[in-house]
Amino acid sequence: MRRAGRTDAAIDLLRRIAQPLIEQRGVEPRAVGASLLMTAAYTAACGHHRADALDLMACAEQTVTGLQTGPGQRLFTVDATSEQLHLYWIGVNNALGTPDEGVQHAARINPRALPTAERRARLGTDVARMWHQLDDPRRTFTALRMVEQAAPEEVRRPALRAMTADLLYRPAPLSGVREFARRTGAVGV
C-alpha cells in the first residue's frame, strides 16, 4: 500500500491490526504488534507524516521495552528486539530528513545481535544513507563495506551503486573506493 501511494490507508491498517496485539498478554502477539507499529512508523515517515511516525515509534519502543523474554529466548515469529527498534529509528529518521537523530541509534546496535544477513545488510544500508545525508564520506564507505560483507548482492542495488559512484567522484575520493565501485558494479571495469 505504501509503494502504491496509499500511505494513509497503510498506516491506518497497520495501526488497527497492531493495537489489539500489543494489548494481549503473550510475548509473541505483542512482538508482532510492535513489529507492525515499526512498519507503520516507517510508512508514515516515507509519507512525510512526522508526528505519526514519531508517535508510532514511541509506542513500538514502549512495547518492545515491555516484552519479557528470558536470556537466550528467541521469538520465532518476529524480531522485536532493541536492535530492531534502533534499526527502524535510523530508517525513520533518514526518511524524515533528520539523519542526525539516527546517529545515537546506530551507536546502540550490535550487528552480531541481528539474526540474519538481510538485517545486517539493512543496518549497513540505513547507516550508509544516514552518513551520506550527513556528508561523511568515510563513514558512508565503511557502512557500504558492512553491507558487502553481510550480503554482497545488496551493494549492487541501484541506490547503493549511486551512493558508491558519488563517493568515487568526490574531489578527494577515499582509498579503496574505486576497487569497491568496480567490484559492486557502480562503474565499468
Side-chain angles (χ1 to χ4, degrees):
M1 292 173 79
R2 173 177 55 88
R3 290 184 179 151
R6 299 187 59 214
T7 302
D8 292 340
I11 295 165
D12 181 56
L13 175 67
L14 290 164
R15 193 187 315 248
R16 280 187 293 117
I17 294 170
Q19 192 59 44
L21 292 170
I22 64 172
E23 292 172 358
Q24 291 186 26
R25 290 184 185 255
V27 172
E28 287 84 3
R30 290 174 43 226
V32 171
S35 182
L36 291 172
L37 289 171
M38 289 184 271
T39 301
Y42 183 73
T43 301
C46 289
H48 308 289
H49 300 294
R50 180 178 177 78
D52 279 339
L54 297 177
D55 180 54
L56 288 160
M57 280 304 296
C59 189
E61 187 166 3
Q62 181 180 7
T63 304
V64 168
T65 302
L67 292 176
Q68 298 299 315
T69 56
Q73 181 181 354
R74 300 273 317 153
L75 297 172
F76 293 101
T77 57
V78 69
D79 185 28
T81 62
S82 61
E83 282 80 13
Q84 186 75 339
L85 183 74
H86 290 300
L87 180 55
Y88 264 90
W89 269 117
I90 297 166
V92 165
N93 282 303
N94 284 344
L96 290 174
T98 55
D100 53 313
E101 293 179 23
V103 173
Q104 65 176 325
H105 296 285
R108 293 180 181 158
I109 299 174
N110 174 3
R112 291 183 300 272
L114 296 170
T116 65
E118 183 276 330
R119 290 284 83 194
R120 290 185 294 278
R122 178 90 248 161
L123 171 63
T125 298
D126 286 353
V127 169
R129 286 180 174 146
M130 177 186 77
W131 289 123
H132 192 250
Q133 286 183 54
L134 292 170
D135 197 29
D136 189 325
R138 184 183 55 78
R139 288 181 172 154
T140 302
F141 185 42
T142 298
L144 287 171
R145 286 184 297 189
M146 178 195 309
V147 175
E148 183 184 36
Q149 184 178 16
E153 66 281 1
E154 290 295 310
V155 289
R156 295 185 159 276
R157 289 179 175 265
L160 296 186
R161 287 195 331 234
M163 197 181 306
T164 300
D166 180 67
L167 292 177
L168 179 63
Y169 296 115
R170 286 178 137 337
L174 299 164
S175 175
V177 170
R178 181 164 302 285
E179 295 78 16
F180 181 82
R182 283 189 188 118
R183 195 168 58 248
T184 61
V187 296
V189 182

